[in-house]
Amino acid sequence: MNLAYSSRIEFISFEHRVASLAWLSSKIEKNVDLELSELRAIRAAGTHRVKGWESESDEALDESVFMLDSDIRQISVNWPPWGAHNRLVDRVLLTGATLSF
């Protein structure tokens, strides 16, 4: 068995996983931003309010905004929860670096 070839295959597999994580993180981030924009427009227009339940309607919308802007955004950046790959994914996203296959 050629160990040098085997190591290259493992590295290529790792590169594909990192690229996939970077892509997924970017897509989630963009969609969270889009959803937040839509929820803020709904809030400004007041179309989410139910007559007699205005306060509760505002609270429900605020909870959705909070969940998107904190929990979901955080999950997208830190998934999976172990850390080594996150630094590499962050580097790829922040610097615009590319991984060649």
Side-chain angles (χ1 to χ4, degrees), residues 21-35:
L21 287 171
W23 174 83
L24 181 61
S25 179
S26 174
K27 293 298 270 186
I28 291 171
E29 186 76 20
K30 288 175 186 172
N31 284 313
V32 165
D33 290 340
L34 178 62
E35 186 70 21

Side-chain angles (χ1 to χ4, degrees), residues 40-92:
R40 289 183 177 127
I42 289 169
R43 172 76 159 182
T47 58
H48 67 289
R49 290 187 161 187
V50 177
K51 187 173 181 170
W53 294 86
E54 290 85 357
S55 176
E56 291 82 356
S57 300
D58 288 344
E59 288 175 14
L61 186 64
D62 290 343
E63 180 63 28
S64 294
V65 168
F66 176 77
M67 184 176 56
L68 275 169
D69 211 18
S70 60
D71 297 340
I72 293 174
R73 191 180 301 275
Q74 190 63 31
I75 289 168
S76 76
V77 172
N78 291 316
W79 185 258
W82 55 88
H85 83 282
N86 287 336
R87 289 186 294 279
L88 183 54
V89 170
D90 288 345
R91 190 167 152 204
V92 169

